[in-house]
Amino acid sequence: MQPTTPIQAASGETSDPTRPGYGPDDMLWCLHCNRTFPGRDARPEPYFGRQGCGYDDCTAAGFDIDIFNAEGARAMADPADPADPADVREAILGIDCGDDVDGVTHFQRLGLQGLAALLSCRFIEPDARQNRAPSTLECLTFLGRWPEVRVHGYAVHRDREGDGGRVSIEGFECDLEGVAEGLRSPLREAFRRFEHADEFVDDGEHLYAWWD
């Protein structure tokens, strides 16, 4: 059997320096197939651009979702992590659910990497949705295209009977001050797809969408 090799980048292709990502000489690591490859060999992918695994037998894609900078990333694949899953969930969300078993705790400004971590750890289902809000994967896809945007929502206490530990995404938010000037208008236009949310804000400085 011939060894699988990374797909080479198309000649002349350049990256957008205003967006987060990696350089052609950076070593990347794939969460799915546990292999490394240089950034120049990242595979074109329809949802995230040139952010697919560099090996043609692997369909993983999305920088900070399936594809990571190699330095320190291998620790994510360690199945022997002794941490309490509920503590890991709260650390990802940046919350403390406290002692109110019947209550919920809201989180804000969860980015692309955090949402991907929730999925990787199985703390949220790919098709989960808060009533008429976009599903988890729909949120992930939007953040993959617009990583400047964050999601907000709530988590159910780990010990609540029936649905303990559930995480729900209620919407999106973004401060336009932190977005590159050339991307603000395209982002605002893309964000208008959420204008039918229960609460929608685009005041030129802040974007916000919330579903009840």
Side-chain angles (χ1 to χ4, degrees):
M1 179 181 296
Q2 295 294 321
T4 306
T5 57
I7 299 172
Q8 297 299 314
S11 61
E13 185 168 334
T14 59
S15 60
D16 183 345
T18 67
R19 303 302 295 274
Y22 52 86
D25 296 325
D26 290 339
M27 288 304 298
L28 304 180
W29 173 76
C30 177
L31 175 67
H32 283 224
C33 69
N34 196 28
R35 289 178 287 188
T36 58
F37 56 93
R40 67 175 61 87
D41 291 339
R43 177 175 47 82
E45 200 277 336
Y47 295 103
F48 302 106
R50 182 167 285 281
Q51 296 184 11
C53 179
Y55 293 86
D56 57 10
D57 61 345
C58 180
T59 60
F63 189 64
D64 278 343
I65 298 174
D66 293 332
I67 309 301
F68 298 84
N69 279 318
E71 184 178 355
R74 291 185 183 276
M76 297 180 61
D78 183 3
D81 185 354
D84 184 328
D87 290 340
V88 174
R89 180 197 66 149
E90 293 184 17
I92 293 171
L93 296 173
I95 59 174
D96 181 351
C97 288
D99 299 323
D100 184 3
V101 175
D102 295 321
V104 300
T105 303
H106 286 85
F107 62 88
Q108 296 178 320
R109 306 193 62 78
L110 181 70
L112 175 63
Q113 188 169 0
L115 183 55
L118 289 180
L119 278 164
S120 296
C121 296
R122 303 296 188 262
F123 292 143
I124 191 169
E125 293 299 321
D127 58 352
R129 68 176 70 237
Q130 168 74 6
N131 296 327
R132 295 184 297 109
S135 70
T136 306
L137 282 182
E138 290 170 329
C139 292
L140 189 70
T141 299
F142 190 76
L143 267 61
R145 175 64 182 87
W146 299 104
E148 300 87 355
V149 177
R150 303 291 186 264
V151 295
H152 57 90
Y154 65 88
V156 172
H157 195 282
R158 67 182 79 183
D159 296 327
R160 190 164 88 173
E161 185 176 356
D163 61 351
R166 176 171 55 87
V167 176
S168 294
I169 297 172
E170 296 181 295
F172 302 91
E173 58 186 313
C174 180
D175 292 322
L176 290 171
E177 183 180 18
V179 179
E181 187 172 352
L183 295 173
R184 293 176 190 174
S185 291
L187 172 53
R188 292 176 68 190
E189 180 64 28
F191 205 81
R192 292 199 66 81
R193 74 182 64 182
F194 307 127
E195 63 184 350
H196 298 299
D198 294 296
E199 183 177 349
F200 179 84
V201 175
D202 176 3
D203 59 10
E205 297 180 355
H206 187 68
L207 300 175
Y208 183 85
W210 174 77
W211 285 265
D212 193 359

